[in-house]
Amino acid sequence: MIFKFAYRNILRQKRRTFFTIMTMTVGFTLAAIIIGWTDGSYNLIIEKFTRAYLGHIQIHYQDYLEQPTLYKNIDNYREVGKKLDELQTAESWAPRLYAAGLVSVGEKSTVGQIIGIDPILENKATGFHKQVKKGKTISKTPAKQVVIGKVLAKTLNASIGDTLYIVSQAADGSIANDMYKIIGIVESDDQMKDRMAIYMHLYDAQKLMVLENRVHEIVVMVEDINKVDEVVSQIENSLNNSQLNVLPWMEVNKSFYATMQMDKESNNILSYVVMLIVGIGVLNTVLMAVLERTREFGVLKALGTRPLQIFILIIVEVLIMTIASIVLGAILGTAANYALSHYGIKMPVSYDLAGVTFDTLISEVNLKSIVFPSVLVILAALLVSLFPAVYAAKTEPAKTMRFH
Amino acid sequence: MDEQIGKEVIVTENLKKTYHDNGIPVYAVRGVDLTITRGEFTAIMGPSGSGKTTLLNLISGLDTPTEGKVWLNSKLVSEMTGNELSDFRRDNIGFIFQAYNLIPVLTVEENVEYIMLLQGVPPEERHKRVLKILEEVGLVEMIDRKPPQLSGGQQQRVAVARAMVAKPAIILADEPTANLDSETSGELLDMMRKLNESTGMTFLFSSHDPIVIQRARRVITLTDGKISNDKIKR
């Protein structure tokens, strides 16, 4: 009966009800788009950032990340790789060796980061070959070839076919120096890598640094990035090696993750502001609907209706409008997010985040973009309805109708 | 029901109500001692401002007395509060208002069954009782209409049906004919008197309408908040 009563009450002022539902619907839709857009864009950024180089999970020797040195390395990386291959949740993996050295081409020299990679595994994990924009990528067999970053090439005034000299200190204390042929130029979204990186075959790097069969890092790609923590546990259990650290990307690059989270939070504030505006609109409507019916509430109380029943009646009226707006908002919000997830919005100016460049914002259709605005709309509507509902429940029959 | 006839249903003791209008005290009811027995068909008459409506408000618990006590069906209404008072009104008092005060969004049937719904009467029983009372007030064919689709007289008949359907101890009616023409008023009063005779339900009116006064069996005159005359017709 309360539902029927409430439903008919909200149909009394059809235009007012329509505009109230529309206010809530617009608020819901905006919140859904903000969330879809935020999640879509950040997931794209994360995917791009992790896929390009970082990886979803990294394995290192104990505290290598805190204090990286040549000597903190993994000496049985093929065994680790075998165990990773056995895990269905680990999509691919790639070993890397890192070293620093003085590099020169002709009379130009600078400091560079030597990165030894296994071309087959690296291409599979991060699509390294796609980042080689000029020349060709490193051959599958070691051939003393290097691919260098675009900015580094500019600094060294180097071209494809030039010879690159590397001088460093090998792991055994000897002088590591050798010559390599530049066969390609890398242009990635990672500015740091473009400025410093010298990629060579893992075998060549191991030989140069006297680190045969050793690597400093193994990156792992997972099928579902949202299950990265789960896969980390699986890898830890599988390796069962306390000397190896298995870390998700969020811990490998804490500052990037913190930036993402902070940006997400600031976008959530936008949703709260939208709901505040919706709340004020709903408060106005409910208050009007209550004030013009005080006499009726007086009659209901005179007939024996309890204050709580009148309170519930008002809340149910608001909830009916809220549910209608959630249904409409969910349809509109999902449609908008679906369209934006396919076409996206091209930014007039690209921007850089943690060294990765982005130029398109895309949205995402997800459950959160429906659930979060639903909770917000319900909370906002209920919160602003409390005062009018209490006011209605406290109606004094004698004062409001004086028996007439 | 007949065994109950003659038993006290309303008792007031030194009932007083003082309002304050901009700090100035208004003595609306000044010490009313009144006893109404079951089955009475009584009218309280008096000029405007004599305290009729305030007295009915105090008796029904819609307003609280400044001083004095009200017993209704042997229960001390004047000291009840909150849900206890709501439940007591729901189960013991039927109201008929001057402006009908039906719920406009509910049909005739829903308006009449509203109190039974609050009481938790099962749907079949509710429907049966609604049909019976609407038949008695002559509005069965209007069962699905909403109040705005009815005339004033018809709305007041629905109000009578709503007041009586839950079989309360007493029906309080404030100026029930004030918005009706004399012919409709007469018909309504005749109908209520018939119901009073057939059910033994107690009716207490406040009115200065001669049609009401003429049909009442007991007429209490209120002057300046006090009973100035109390006459039982033979």
Side-chain angles (χ1 to χ4, degrees), chain A residues 1 8 302 305-306 403-404, chain B residues 57 87 98 101 110 114 117:
Chain A
M1 180 67 171
R8 289 187 193 168
T305 312
R306 288 181 172 191
F403 243 107
H404 296 300
Chain B
N57 280 344
D87 293 351
Q98 178 184 325
N101 283 337
E110 288 161 349
Y114 183 78
L117 202 82

Side-chain angles (χ1 to χ4, degrees), chain A residues 59 74 77-78 81 93-98 115-122 125 200 202 206 214-220:
Chain A
I59 304 170
I74 305 166
Y77 81 92
R78 286 194 182 86
W93 63 277
R96 290 170 186 165
L97 185 143
Y98 291 104
I115 305 170
I117 58 169
D118 180 317
I120 297 170
L121 294 173
E122 191 70 39
M200 63 173 72
L202 180 62
Q206 286 169 335
R214 290 166 184 266
V215 296
H216 291 110
E217 179 176 287
I218 296 172
V219 292
V220 183

Side-chain angles (χ1 to χ4, degrees), chain A residues 298-316:
Chain A
V299 174
L300 293 177
K301 283 192 85 173
L303 296 178
T305 312
R306 288 181 172 191
L308 182 65
Q309 289 169 316
I310 292 176
F311 177 88
I312 291 170
L313 176 70
I314 302 298
I315 296 296
V316 171

Side-chain angles (χ1 to χ4, degrees), chain A residues 30-48 225-226 249 256-257 259-271 333 337-338 340-341 351 353 358 360-373:
Chain A
L30 282 177
I33 292 172
I34 289 168
I35 291 162
W37 205 335
T38 305
D39 285 357
S41 296
Y42 287 115
N43 286 345
L44 174 74
I45 290 169
I46 290 164
E47 183 64 13
K48 216 169 169 183
I225 195 169
N226 296 316
W249 67 268
F256 173 71
Y257 181 63
T259 309
M260 293 282 103
Q261 291 302 102
M262 210 166 70
D263 242 50
K264 265 188 172 183
E265 282 306 313
S266 61
N267 275 320
N268 280 345
I269 292 170
L270 260 180
S271 300
N337 280 335
Y338 181 78
L340 287 169
S341 70
Y351 68 102
L353 193 66
F358 299 92
T360 308
L361 287 177
I362 63 153
S363 192
E364 182 181 291
V365 178
N366 58 24
L367 195 62
K368 188 183 160 197
S369 66
I370 304 297
V371 173
F372 190 63

Side-chain angles (χ1 to χ4, degrees), chain A residues 1 4-5 8-9 12 295-296 299-307 309 397-398 401-404, chain B residues 19 53 56-57 62 83 86-87 89-90 95 97-99 101 103-106 110 114 117-118 162 174:
Chain A
M1 180 67 171
K4 193 196 282 181
F5 199 176
R8 289 187 193 168
N9 277 334
R12 278 179 174 185
R295 181 193 176 90
E296 198 172 296
V299 174
L300 293 177
K301 283 192 85 173
L303 296 178
T305 312
R306 288 181 172 191
Q309 289 169 316
M401 39 177 223
R402 290 265 170 231
F403 243 107
H404 296 300
Chain B
Y19 293 111
T53 296
L56 285 197
N57 280 344
L62 293 180
N83 286 342
S86 296
D87 293 351
R89 272 202 300 264
R90 179 194 69 194
F95 289 95
F97 306 97
Q98 178 184 325
N101 283 337
I103 309 300
V105 292
L106 302 182
E110 288 161 349
Y114 183 78
L117 202 82
L118 296 177
R162 177 178 69 181
D174 187 70

Side-chain angles (χ1 to χ4, degrees), chain A residues 124-143:
Chain A
K124 195 178 168 196
T126 61
F128 172 75
H129 58 293
K130 291 178 194 162
Q131 294 173 25
V132 180
K133 303 294 178 189
K134 277 186 189 170
K136 54 185 181 178
T137 188
I138 298 163
S139 59
K140 290 172 188 173
T141 51

